Amino acid sequence: MLRRLRGFVLPTAACQEEEEEDTFPYEILFQDLDRNGDGVVDIAELREGLKNWSSTFGMESEKVLDPEDVAPAEIFKAGDTNADSRLDFQEFMQYLKDHEKKMRLAFNSLDLNKDGEIETSEIITGLKSLGIDVSEAQAKNILRSMDSDGTMTIDWDEWKYYFLLHPAKTIDEIAGFWKRSTVIDIGESIAIPDDFTEHEKSSGHWWRRLVAGGIASAISRTCTAPFDRLRVMMQVHSSESTRMKIIGGFEQMIKEGGIRSLWRGNGTNVFKIAPETVIKIGAYEQYKKWLSFDGAKIGIIQRFISGSLAGVTAQTCIYPIEVIKTRLTVGKTGQYSGIIDCGKKLLKQQGVRTFYKGYVPNMLSIVPYAGTDLTVYELLKNYWLDHNAGSSVEPDLMILLGCSTLSHTSGQIASFPLTLLRTRMQAQGESEKEKTTTMIRLIQDIYYKEGKMGFFRGLTPNIIKVLPAIVISCVAYELVKRPLELT
């Protein structure tokens, strides 16, 4: 039944904008959704109807309009005015009328030349205003997924048909289909999520996304913690005459403190996820407001600047925890009983200043890491899309994982010398014989004693953990989405 609505129901409804609308088109759609004919539509019937609806779009759009993604519960929340968890015809019709008005505003905002059709150039311009850069091939592919008559332009009927039973109602939310997902965490710092839509803010999805991301990050960091500790140990002890190797490093840590010592410092690493996330996202939103003018949408450059400044803000606030984590990681068995004990001893022995050792190289590392990561990811993703524009609007999961792995690895390499300086400075004073040195002096010492490769000690275990960290983070996120009602 839904297949014939494209040529009959929606055009009929569209031509009656300036007069009282006929209820017949809505009745046909409602009757098709009301499988048992009891005069109301429940969640199960709506979900089944959405499956049939999405199948009329063709293979490409099934991914975009998957019934799990359109959140039938959100349609009920907007349309179920008497809160009985069912939609009668009047509620269903009123929801569609209200939703169509919002979709008309979204359509008009993309139709820049006001000719009643959305073209490739308008897709590019509209998404660019939201900070999403797409190539012409990508824009054509987006149009093709909605184009039913082969004209490579989208009129109002095609637009409305495509988004009619999807709760997205603004350009910002629609553009979310083509944004990068930034839930991936590799243990160094929390990535800033894409902008939360008004729909997510009002429905509470924003905090559930954060909780899911936090849980996924904790699982990912815990699973890869042995490699993280080995990296720190290699960075700190690489200046000794006997250089620490990967196998030898694991053997040395196990011999000194047993299997459990491989996870030393991981509790602190997990503990700082929550405050870091909250501070970074709050700062990110504030910096975006300051960088926007007259309510205009900010572009990719402003987003990058906002993200970098948010990273600096979050790191400044939680940096003492970073220092404690490093000290616990390189400490010997029994040296510290926990986070509080370590903090007390550091304060007593070395004073408040010790909690900000390595602060400068840590701040400097944010820009090369974030910049390289973002640039490489976009280059790889756009290259793939430009050469596969005829097969998919978005790359599949394996392609995205590959792009993420290479971009994160590139970011790690670009910022690693600064990361090493930070770790060395954080660990200064661990031994009574060790003297505290400045960053410039430390750079000179590493260069003359260890050569250029001395700035990359510990890079290998750091690279090794990137792929498993990304995979574990993604799998964990998918597993915790369902209990949090994010599916």
Side-chain angles (χ1 to χ4, degrees):
M1 172 90 59
L2 286 172
R3 291 184 181 276
R4 63 192 180 90
L5 293 179
R6 169 175 282 173
F8 174 65
V9 176
L10 297 176
T12 301
C15 70
Q16 299 170 336
E17 291 182 80
E18 297 183 358
E19 59 186 64
E20 185 177 355
E21 286 190 297
D22 184 5
T23 62
F24 182 62
Y26 300 104
E27 289 176 355
I28 293 179
L29 180 55
F30 184 81
Q31 290 170 7
D32 188 76
L33 292 173
D34 182 17
R35 298 284 172 160
N36 58 12
D38 62 354
V40 293
V41 174
D42 57 25
I43 285 284
E45 290 174 324
L46 180 58
R47 185 174 287 113
E48 181 64 27
L50 291 176
K51 288 181 181 179
N52 296 333
W53 182 271
S54 63
S55 69
T56 66
F57 292 127
M59 182 177 63
E60 288 186 14
S61 57
E62 286 178 1
K63 175 182 176 182
V64 174
L65 204 61
D66 187 277
E68 293 294 338
D69 291 332
V70 297
E74 297 306 324
I75 295 179
F76 265 75
K77 184 176 181 179
D80 184 19
T81 55
N82 60 8
D84 62 352
S85 299
R86 299 183 300 176
L87 293 177
D88 59 30
F89 174 67
Q90 290 299 324
E91 290 175 323
F92 180 73
M93 182 175 65
Q94 189 60 49
Y95 168 79
L96 288 183
K97 287 182 177 180
D98 293 341
H99 188 62
E100 285 177 24
K101 292 177 182 177
K102 296 169 184 174
M103 292 311 303
R104 169 64 82 174
L105 293 176
F107 179 85
N108 290 342
S109 68
L110 274 183
D111 183 18
L112 301 178
N113 59 9
K114 307 305 178 186
D115 64 348
E117 295 182 337
I118 297 175
E119 304 169 353
T120 303
S121 60
E122 291 171 324
I123 288 286
I124 295 173
T125 303
L127 291 181
K128 188 173 183 180
S129 70
L130 298 173
I132 305 174
D133 290 318
V134 295
S135 66
E136 184 175 356
Q138 291 171 249
K140 287 181 178 179
N141 206 26
I142 291 171
L143 277 180
R144 190 178 295 113
S145 67
M146 294 183 275
D147 182 23
S148 62
D149 55 13
T151 61
M152 285 307 292
T153 59
I154 303 300
D155 59 25
W156 164 238
D157 289 333
E158 291 171 316
W159 177 269
K160 183 171 67 172
Y161 180 82
Y162 193 76
F163 288 109
L164 184 63
L165 288 181
H166 197 293
K169 53 186 175 294
T170 66
I171 289 298
D172 298 65
E173 294 179 7
I174 292 168
F177 296 144
W178 305 301
K179 282 186 179 181
R180 172 188 179 184
S181 174
T182 54
V183 70
I184 294 172
D185 169 56
I186 59 171
E188 285 297 307
S189 63
I190 300 293
I192 299 175
D194 292 326
D195 296 342
F196 294 116
T197 64
E198 292 301 321
H199 166 69
E200 287 176 320
K201 292 176 181 177
S202 62
S203 66
H205 275 202
W206 69 273
W207 68 262
R208 289 198 287 270
R209 276 182 58 191
L210 291 183
V211 171
I215 295 174
S217 297
I219 295 173
S220 176
R221 294 184 182 202
T222 300
C223 291
T224 58
F227 286 99
D228 191 56
R229 188 180 182 220
L230 177 62
R231 184 261 304 173
V232 174
M233 296 293 286
M234 292 177 71
Q235 287 178 326
V236 173
H237 298 295
S238 63
S239 59
E240 298 178 359
S241 56
T242 303
R243 310 243 184 250
M244 183 179 289
K245 304 297 183 181
I246 294 180
I247 302 300
F250 280 126
E251 291 177 345
Q252 182 177 326
M253 288 188 291
I254 294 174
K255 183 178 179 180
E256 189 275 330
I259 294 293
R260 291 184 61 184
S261 68
L262 298 178
W263 278 266
R264 189 172 296 161
N266 181 63
T268 311
N269 204 25
V270 171
F271 172 76
K272 71 185 181 72
I273 290 176
E276 183 181 5
T277 303
V278 172
I279 296 171
K280 184 175 287 189
I281 291 177
Y284 181 57
E285 293 297 324
Q286 189 59 54
Y287 286 128
K288 284 196 304 178
K289 291 179 181 178
W290 288 343
L291 290 174
S292 63
F293 301 97
D294 300 326
K297 298 295 182 181
I298 65 174
I300 189 68
I301 296 178
Q302 290 91 338
R303 288 177 186 274
F304 175 74
I305 295 174
S306 298
S308 297
L309 291 175
V312 170
T313 302
Q315 282 290 298
T316 300
C317 294
I318 62 121
Y319 195 75
I321 303 178
E322 291 276 4
V323 175
I324 292 175
K325 176 232 174 184
T326 298
R327 288 302 185 92
L328 288 171
T329 301
V330 300
K332 298 184 181 300
T333 302
Q335 185 174 356
Y336 306 110
S337 62
I339 298 175
I340 297 177
D341 180 59
C342 180
K344 287 181 177 179
K345 288 181 177 179
L346 290 179
L347 181 62
K348 182 179 180 179
Q349 295 169 5
Q350 301 177 41
V352 176
R353 293 184 62 183
T354 192
F355 291 107
Y356 281 89
K357 285 183 178 179
Y359 175 80
V360 174
N362 186 63
M363 294 301 106
L364 293 176
S365 69
I366 291 176
V367 174
Y369 177 83
T372 304
D373 179 22
L374 178 63
T375 301
V376 173
Y377 183 90
E378 291 300 324
L379 286 174
L380 291 172
K381 181 181 176 182
N382 289 337
Y383 177 84
W384 190 90
L385 287 172
D386 287 342
H387 290 78
N388 296 271
S391 60
S392 177
V393 174
E394 278 287 303
D396 59 27
L397 178 60
M398 294 306 297
I399 297 297
L400 292 176
L401 282 177
C403 292
S404 295
T405 300
L406 291 175
S407 65
H408 285 317
T409 301
S410 300
Q412 293 273 14
I413 295 173
S415 62
F416 199 81
L418 290 167
T419 302
L420 181 136
L421 291 174
R422 177 202 67 187
T423 305
R424 288 273 187 96
M425 294 179 73
Q426 287 176 340
Q428 283 179 355
E430 186 67 21
S431 171
E432 293 182 1
K433 298 179 181 179
E434 186 179 10
K435 295 181 180 180
T436 300
T437 59
T438 63
M439 184 177 74
I440 301 301
R441 182 61 182 273
L442 185 58
I443 292 174
Q444 293 173 341
D445 288 344
I446 294 174
Y447 182 78
Y448 289 118
K449 294 179 181 179
E450 305 173 50
K452 296 177 182 178
M453 292 306 298
F455 293 100
F456 292 91
R457 301 294 180 193
L459 178 62
T460 301
N462 213 45
I463 297 293
I464 292 175
K465 80 167 187 178
V466 171
L467 180 57
I470 290 174
V471 173
I472 293 170
S473 182
C474 288
V475 172
Y477 184 76
E478 291 302 317
L479 290 176
V480 300
K481 277 172 60 178
R482 190 172 297 275
L484 292 172
E485 300 180 355
L486 286 171
T487 54

